[in-house]
Amino acid sequence: MNLRLIGIGAGVLIILSLPLAGAIAGPDFAGQDDGKGGGLFSTLGLSVSPRTSPTAPARSAGGAVEPGKPGPAEQPRTDSRCGPEVSSPHGVEAQTCVLVGEGRTWGRSYYRNTSGRALDAVLTMMGPAGRTVQIRCAVGAGDEPGLCETPKEDSAGAPDSYSAVAEFAVPDDEGELLLRSGSNSSVPGDG
């Protein structure tokens, strides 16, 4: 009988110690690190610092990734020229921009529709030598922000030779125009 109780007690101890063993081991099971450095050590504030972690890129004293060491991929630069944020009494807000990056140019309009009804948007991008690209976007009836964007085209001139205009209208036979937004700002910005 004592042996039976000892066996049951040992089984209970093993079952209760499994979560503790998993917490001590952390999330790096079979090389599947979730990058959070979890486990019991980090819970107790005893985790390895990112500077000495074998999975973190080596960093200099200033925090920059040291040459020859892996780090995050550098994102290409995108420049933008945006018009002002405009709104209509009908519940539509928008801002339209011309974007330039990696030798390509495109138009984008950021919007929010609180009108309570679905709308149509037409975004037109005009470039040098009469080049025009136009796209239609369906604008849902919620107030979540959204965007309408033309395809990216190879740049054919200076960035300031492009402009974009977005028009938001009721999608019916009359097509009542509720808002027009343009990239007519002369102050360049980063996007």
Side-chain angles (χ1 to χ4, degrees):
M1 182 149 268
N2 283 340
L3 291 176
R4 188 180 295 177
L5 285 176
I6 292 173
I8 291 173
V12 168
L13 283 175
I14 290 172
I15 290 172
L16 292 176
S17 66
L18 286 177
L20 180 61
I24 291 172
D28 192 17
F29 294 104
Q32 298 176 359
D33 184 12
D34 68 357
K36 297 178 183 173
L40 183 61
F41 291 122
S42 66
T43 303
L44 298 173
L46 302 173
S47 64
V48 178
S49 74
R51 186 178 186 123
T52 59
S53 170
T55 59
R59 298 194 177 273
S60 66
V65 175
E66 292 179 8
K69 302 292 183 179
E74 188 174 317
Q75 296 297 319
R77 179 178 170 91
T78 301
D79 292 324
S80 64
R81 193 177 75 252
C82 298
E85 294 180 27
V86 293
S87 61
S88 77
H90 304 286
V92 183
E93 303 170 0
Q95 182 178 31
T96 302
C97 305
V98 171
L99 296 106
V100 179
E102 296 185 310
R104 304 180 85 176
T105 306
W106 66 101
R108 180 183 291 167
S109 186
Y110 302 94
Y111 63 82
R112 182 183 301 265
N113 176 16
T114 61
S115 69
R117 57 185 168 181
L119 302 174
D120 279 339
V122 176
L123 177 58
T124 305
M125 173 127 125
M126 296 147 291
R131 295 170 54 136
T132 302
V133 176
Q134 190 174 69
I135 189 165
R136 281 191 183 279
C137 298
V139 177
D143 75 347
E144 290 297 315
L147 65 88
C148 182
E149 186 172 88
T150 66
K152 297 177 182 180
E153 300 285 334
D154 290 337
S155 297
D160 60 353
S161 64
Y162 287 87
S163 63
V165 174
E167 297 176 316
F168 296 85
V170 177
D172 61 13
D173 292 336
E174 295 178 21
E176 177 189 1
L177 182 63
L178 301 180
L179 182 69
R180 180 177 288 132
S181 169
S183 64
N184 57 353
S185 172
S186 61
V187 179
D190 294 333

